[in-house]
Amino acid sequence: MFQALQRRSSKLSVLRQARNQQPRITYSSRRQYASSGEGSKGGSGKPSGDFSDQVEANKDNPISRTLKLIGNDVQRMKKFILPSSYTNPGAKGDSTDSTHSIENYLERYRRDGFQSHCDVLVIGGGGVGSSIAYWLKKRARQGLNVVVLEKDATYAQASTCLSVGGLRQQFSIVENIQMSLYGADFMRNSRDYLGDDVDLNFTPHGYLLLASEAGAEQLEQNSKLQCALGAKNELLTAKRLKERFPWMNTEGIALGCHGLEKEGWFDPWALLSGFRKRAIEYGAHYVEGEMVGFGFRQQPDILAEGIEEGSYEGIDRAFVKMKDGEMREIKFAIAIIAAGAQSGAIAKMARIGTGKGMLSIPLPVEPRKRYVYVFQCENDQGPGINTPLTIDPSGTYFRRDGLGGNYLGGKSPLPEEEPPVDNLDVDHTFFDKTVWPNLAQMVPAFEAIKVKNAWAGYYEFNTFDENGIVGPHPYYNNLYIATGFSGHGIQQTPAVGRAVSEMIIDGGFRTVDLTRFGFDRIIVDQPMYEANIF
């Protein structure tokens, strides 16, 4: 791990050149460590190593190099958790009931089902966090001890469970398209991944995005990119839209993009439950408790520009408030912030956004309340059961909900209309004044509808560019981030979980390259905006 800190200096130098107002942070050692792994005073031992591979690594992109190097240090991190006498029970010549097995060792740190030490702590047990745990344990099993911290095991207010469960490839950013393509493949083969007892109830009726004259060219460009990457959709003029969907009013509509395959909607609760169940089956430990803070450890042998020599502090513990009010501690080698809408608040606990230098830049993720309304068409003349999830140029959407004649729909409010987030109360006037007029304009049969039910949920809203943030934090060498998907996260959970497991186990992305989605784009002020996408 210590070598990774040194090598990250090249990356940080590049970041400083791109944004001169931030001080460059470089890491170095004030003394050499003996091969015995003798540690510095006040801290745990750090392994020595050959620095010759740094020369070769310098040939790579600095961000990619960092991901690779961190992965190579995972086994060194294990020494932070496991004793020197530990032997792998699965290794040749070792008995599976070895007294030094992982389970025997870690049993000392368990009390009442609580595990106080782990290799990887996932903060947040929703869709993203449970997917990360699933992929880590699916791939590593005995190799990594994974703990998932979730404050509410009922998931009553979890964004995952309160979403509409959409799956589409109709994006303008390559990575978003690739993640959703993999999401479609995962759901198509969900029984192979999650077992025969998990039914995602996928409804493959596609998406239909509508554009005015102003947005038609961008919609066409997006469609070409999507199809080039493996999606399958069709562009429909206003005339063809009316022929295909006679219930639609095409006034003001110039073009539509209709997904023909790999798009639709599913049961998000079933997906979350499947990830969680399989992760536990593979050996992950779920802890119900509230994250209240990080523990910091002095690392005087790390030098960082902008920080007084000898004062660098890393994170190695999480403080947890249990359901009964008791405070407990979990020591970790790696932590992952995957806490959805609360991720920004969790990051502040690690001084992200309140510290100096790179720690002065916050994680720009906050909760935003969104409403979902369930309604019926009173004249029973609404769109049929094979209707795609349809989104008009204003961002107002609707889709069928089951076979009982119900529909659900909604719209994100304008920035000046954002509701308070201190509760999940539903504002029905927002439907009457904003959503309903747009629905009736799009579907004349919706002039006469009746709201039957409604709920509110939180988006994990990335205020920087409304796209996910995935990757290591540039200051802490053992902290990863997977959050900020701004309403698109549930469909991307299979790909994000797999990507995080690749960073930790393989040292870099092996399938979908999410390097551009890293925290670094925030530091260098390079947002990635979706074009003509809601």
Side-chain angles (χ1 to χ4, degrees):
M1 169 120 31
F2 182 67
Q3 295 179 27
L5 290 174
Q6 290 188 309
R7 292 164 181 146
R8 195 176 284 187
S9 63
S10 297
K11 168 191 173 183
L12 298 172
S13 177
V14 171
L15 295 177
R16 185 192 180 212
Q17 294 172 14
R19 193 176 183 184
N20 291 328
Q21 64 266 36
Q22 291 298 329
R24 178 169 61 94
I25 301 180
T26 57
Y27 299 91
S28 62
S29 172
R30 290 196 289 153
R31 63 172 177 166
Q32 295 294 323
Y33 286 86
S35 58
S36 62
E38 179 183 350
S40 63
K41 59 183 179 180
S44 61
K46 303 176 181 63
S48 65
D50 184 2
F51 291 89
S52 62
D53 58 339
Q54 183 173 0
V55 177
E56 181 66 21
N58 285 336
K59 298 178 181 179
D60 298 332
N61 176 280
I63 296 176
S64 299
R65 183 171 67 252
T66 300
L67 294 176
K68 295 176 184 178
L69 294 173
I70 290 176
N72 294 336
D73 293 321
V74 168
Q75 290 304 316
R76 298 187 186 100
M77 290 180 186
K78 297 283 287 185
K79 297 178 181 179
F80 181 70
I81 299 295
L82 298 176
S84 58
S85 61
Y86 164 79
T87 57
N88 186 345
K92 184 176 180 180
D94 290 331
S95 171
T96 56
D97 60 352
S98 168
T99 58
H100 298 295
S101 70
I102 292 176
E103 288 300 313
N104 286 341
Y105 176 73
L106 291 174
E107 192 62 38
R108 284 188 281 163
Y109 297 101
R110 293 179 186 147
R111 176 164 61 90
D112 302 329
F114 182 85
Q115 188 162 299
S116 62
H117 286 58
C118 64
D119 296 326
V120 181
L121 174 66
V122 183
I123 304 169
V128 173
S130 289
S131 176
I132 293 170
Y134 162 80
W135 280 106
L136 286 173
K137 292 304 295 181
K138 178 180 174 64
R139 299 188 61 203
R141 299 294 172 95
Q142 294 292 337
L144 286 174
N145 188 280
V146 178
V147 170
V148 181
L149 178 61
E150 170 56 43
K151 67 178 181 180
D152 180 14
T154 70
Y155 295 97
Q157 296 187 354
S159 299
T160 297
C161 306
L162 297 173
S163 74
V164 298
L167 171 65
R168 58 164 160 158
Q169 289 82 55
Q170 296 194 49
F171 294 99
S172 65
I173 294 177
V174 169
E175 292 89 339
N176 280 333
I177 299 169
Q178 292 175 324
M179 284 193 285
S180 291
L181 281 168
Y182 178 69
D185 178 77
F186 185 94
M187 292 180 198
R188 183 170 56 250
N189 300 288
S190 62
R191 295 183 185 275
D192 295 335
Y193 289 107
L194 302 178
D196 293 335
D197 57 332
V198 177
D199 186 355
L200 300 183
N201 296 305
F202 181 65
T203 303
H205 294 331
Y207 266 64
L208 176 60
L209 268 64
L210 304 176
S212 63
E213 194 66 44
E217 182 179 356
Q218 184 65 58
L219 188 66
E220 183 175 1
Q221 292 177 5
N222 292 350
S223 173
K224 290 179 180 178
L225 175 62
Q226 295 150 14
C227 291
L229 291 171
K232 188 173 182 180
N233 56 48
E234 60 178 351
L235 292 171
L236 302 172
T237 63
K239 181 180 178 180
R240 292 185 62 197
L241 282 167
K242 189 65 176 179
E243 293 171 351
R244 183 72 63 83
F245 308 106
W247 44 262
M248 182 186 299
N249 173 24
T250 58
E251 181 182 354
I253 302 299
L255 194 65
C257 185
H258 179 216
L260 299 174
E261 294 180 1
K262 307 174 185 177
E263 292 190 339
W265 51 92
F266 60 94
D267 182 351
W269 169 247
L271 180 63
L272 166 57
S273 299
F275 279 138
R276 177 186 169 104
K277 185 174 183 179
R278 293 287 91 82
I280 293 173
E281 183 179 287
Y282 295 155
H285 300 273
Y286 275 69
V287 173
E288 185 175 13
E290 181 181 0
M291 177 79 179
V292 295
F294 284 98
F296 297 83
R297 183 168 65 98
Q298 287 283 344
Q299 295 178 278
D301 293 286
I302 294 179
L303 307 181
E305 291 186 13
I307 297 177
E308 183 180 351
E309 180 178 338
S311 65
Y312 180 89
E313 289 184 307
I315 53 175
D316 65 352
R317 289 158 291 153
F319 300 116
V320 180
K321 183 178 181 180
M322 306 300 290
K323 295 279 286 185
D324 60 3
E326 181 183 2
M327 297 296 298
R328 293 191 182 183
E329 176 183 300
I330 301 175
K331 192 170 185 179
F332 56 79
I334 294 174
I336 303 168
I337 297 177
Q342 304 305 318
S343 294
I346 299 296
K348 286 183 180 179
M349 298 177 188
R351 301 172 182 166
I352 297 173
T354 63
K356 298 180 180 179
M358 286 192 176
L359 286 179
S360 68
I361 301 172
L363 178 63
V365 177
E366 62 185 39
R368 293 285 177 89
K369 187 160 68 171
R370 297 293 181 263
Y371 308 117
V372 180
Y373 303 93
V374 180
F375 57 91
Q376 283 188 335
C377 189
E378 292 189 351
N379 57 20
D380 201 27
Q381 298 298 313
I385 61 173
N386 62 344
T387 299
L389 193 157
T390 305
I391 308 176
D392 77 0
S394 75
T396 302
Y397 70 90
F398 81 92
R399 70 164 171 83
R400 291 283 300 219
D401 186 33
L403 301 176
N406 288 338
Y407 302 85
L408 60 78
K411 180 186 182 301
S412 292
L414 297 173
E416 60 271 19
E417 299 174 335
E418 286 290 351
V421 296
D422 57 346
N423 61 68
L424 285 178
D425 296 340
V426 175
D427 182 359
H428 287 274
T429 62
F430 182 74
F431 179 85
D432 295 336
K433 294 181 179 180
T434 305
V435 179
W436 186 13
N438 292 338
L439 289 173
Q441 171 67 21
M442 181 169 34
V443 185
F446 287 165
E447 286 279 2
I449 58 177
K450 183 177 182 180
V451 175
K452 309 290 288 187
N453 192 15
W455 69 84
Y458 294 121
Y459 271 10
E460 49 183 284
F461 194 82
N462 175 1
T463 61
F464 182 68
D465 60 13
E466 300 183 36
N467 274 299
I469 303 169
V470 182
H473 189 270
Y475 182 88
Y476 294 112
N477 62 344
N478 64 337
L479 180 65
Y480 290 80
I481 297 167
T483 188
F485 300 98
S486 305
H488 305 145
I490 184 61
Q491 63 188 301
Q492 297 176 342
T493 53
V496 171
R498 182 179 65 170
V500 173
S501 77
E502 290 169 352
M503 285 190 292
I504 292 175
I505 296 173
D506 303 312
F509 299 116
R510 294 293 182 266
T511 50
V512 179
D513 187 351
L514 298 181
T515 302
R516 294 201 303 162
F517 273 30
F519 192 91
D520 302 309
R521 77 180 191 273
I522 302 168
I523 296 175
V524 299
D525 195 20
Q526 293 183 350
M528 295 174 59
Y529 293 113
E530 283 285 351
N532 204 31
I533 299 296
F534 298 99

